[in-house]
Amino acid sequence: MHKPVLKDAVIEHLVHKADGLYLDATLGGGGHSEAVLESLNDDGALIGLDQDEEAIARCTERLARFGERASLHLSNFRRVREVLDDLGLPGVDGILADLGVSSFQLDEAHRGFSFREELEGPLDMRMDLRRKTSARDLLRGIKQDELEWVLRHYGEERFAKSIARVIKERIQDGGMHTTADLSEAVRAAVPRRAWPKNIRVETRTFQAIRIAVNDELHALEVFLEQALASLNPKGRLAIITFHGLEDRIVARMFKTWASKQQGPSKLPIVGDGRIPDAVLVNRKAIQPTEAEMDENPRARSARLRVVEKVEKP
């Protein structure tokens, strides 16, 4: 069973109306959605989105006991406003987005997300299987200098140049078909003495390629703008990130909306007399406890940030 990270913190900071309407923009395994629905009364409801058909199927079964209170839709979270418009809803009382890769995606070899040897699979990495370009397609079509840029900027990989070179050389030799092929290329390109101690040496490369395949950072920026516009006054937006690139985008956007105001307030005023769009619910990102990380190691890099939309006159 998928274990939702920071579940208690999400419920504490997101759910502020027992009869409210909430939206989970990234259903994944459905753990957060289930917890939200359990915290609501019979008048409360949840809309769930995911771009992965397998996630929709799993969550349909998991959330079946809530009946019509759970409405699930196959959609990328960058289309949140479109989904609400189709449903005739001007806004919701809270929105959650967990930006991590779901456990079932990581643990199923045919999805091609994992570098674990026992989960060798095709180089796919598509969260939405309707997308045309897989990781294998991307690596074959991209130029070496462009691949180096992807690895350096999306993976923050300091050996991006040598990794990109080895990958392209192996493609030219007819290789690079599986996740194991990609792992071997990374290990060959990075000197053994430079392998990180706390993560696998392939981690940053797999992250970078996954982000590029799914256009994740641009999708996040589009989603954030739509999410704020989709909240009712005093509605809350909660985002869970798992790496620095995502977290910096979220933190920067939240800071722009809040204009340095801290903590929910009826009518905050910034220094120039302008009313901000939102206020920060938590001053610093909330991190998992030691106990949660021991129980669920995948939670170790999770960060939760929450803002509340300001009710303007």
Side-chain angles (χ1 to χ4, degrees), residues 256-261 267-278:
T256 298
W257 293 340
S259 299
K260 301 181 181 179
Q261 277 293 323
L267 193 60
I269 303 294
V270 297
D272 60 2
R274 184 181 64 85
I275 301 173
D277 296 313

Side-chain angles (χ1 to χ4, degrees), residues 120-313:
E120 179 181 0
L123 268 176
D124 195 321
M125 300 193 193
R126 290 173 298 164
M127 293 182 178
D128 182 348
L129 294 175
R130 297 169 298 176
R131 294 183 74 94
K132 294 181 179 179
T133 303
S134 67
R136 181 175 180 270
D137 298 329
L138 182 142
L139 293 177
R140 276 166 155 58
I142 197 171
K143 295 179 180 179
Q144 183 174 318
D145 60 340
E146 294 172 337
L147 178 56
E148 178 185 343
W149 186 94
V150 166
L151 299 178
R152 194 177 307 281
H153 287 82
Y154 292 166
E156 300 179 298
E157 172 58 70
R158 65 191 182 101
F159 290 96
K161 186 172 185 177
S162 58
I163 293 172
R165 175 179 52 78
V166 172
I167 288 174
K168 295 304 289 186
E169 287 176 352
R170 296 197 175 191
I171 288 174
Q172 291 174 357
D173 292 338
M176 205 57 57
H177 303 286
T178 70
T179 52
D181 294 336
L182 180 57
S183 292
E184 290 169 6
V186 175
R187 291 197 296 269
V190 180
R192 185 65 180 82
R193 65 181 181 278
W195 289 16
K197 295 180 180 179
N198 298 324
I199 60 173
R200 288 273 296 261
V201 66
E202 305 99 315
T203 301
R204 295 187 178 94
T205 294
F206 271 69
Q207 171 187 298
I209 294 172
R210 189 202 76 224
I211 288 173
V213 166
N214 295 285
D215 192 25
E216 293 178 29
L217 299 185
H218 179 246
L220 173 59
E221 292 173 343
V222 173
F223 162 74
L224 287 171
E225 291 290 2
Q226 292 191 16
L228 183 67
S230 300
L231 285 173
N232 293 327
K234 297 188 178 180
R236 292 190 171 189
L237 172 62
I239 310 288
I240 300 174
T241 63
F242 288 84
H243 58 76
L245 292 174
E246 295 171 338
D247 191 55
R248 287 194 289 273
I249 290 173
V250 173
R252 182 174 65 250
M253 187 70 78
F254 282 12
K255 183 178 180 180
T256 298
W257 293 340
S259 299
K260 301 181 181 179
Q261 277 293 323
Q262 307 287 347
S265 173
K266 291 183 178 180
L267 193 60
I269 303 294
V270 297
D272 60 2
R274 184 181 64 85
I275 301 173
D277 296 313
V279 291
L280 305 179
V281 173
N282 53 318
R283 184 182 296 271
K284 295 183 179 180
I286 299 169
Q287 302 182 36
T289 63
E290 291 291 338
E292 180 174 1
M293 287 188 286
D294 289 341
E295 182 181 356
N296 183 12
R298 287 176 178 165
R300 69 182 184 276
S301 57
R303 302 289 183 271
L304 171 65
R305 297 183 186 274
V306 187
V307 290
E308 179 179 299
K309 185 172 182 178
V310 169
E311 183 176 19
K312 296 188 179 183

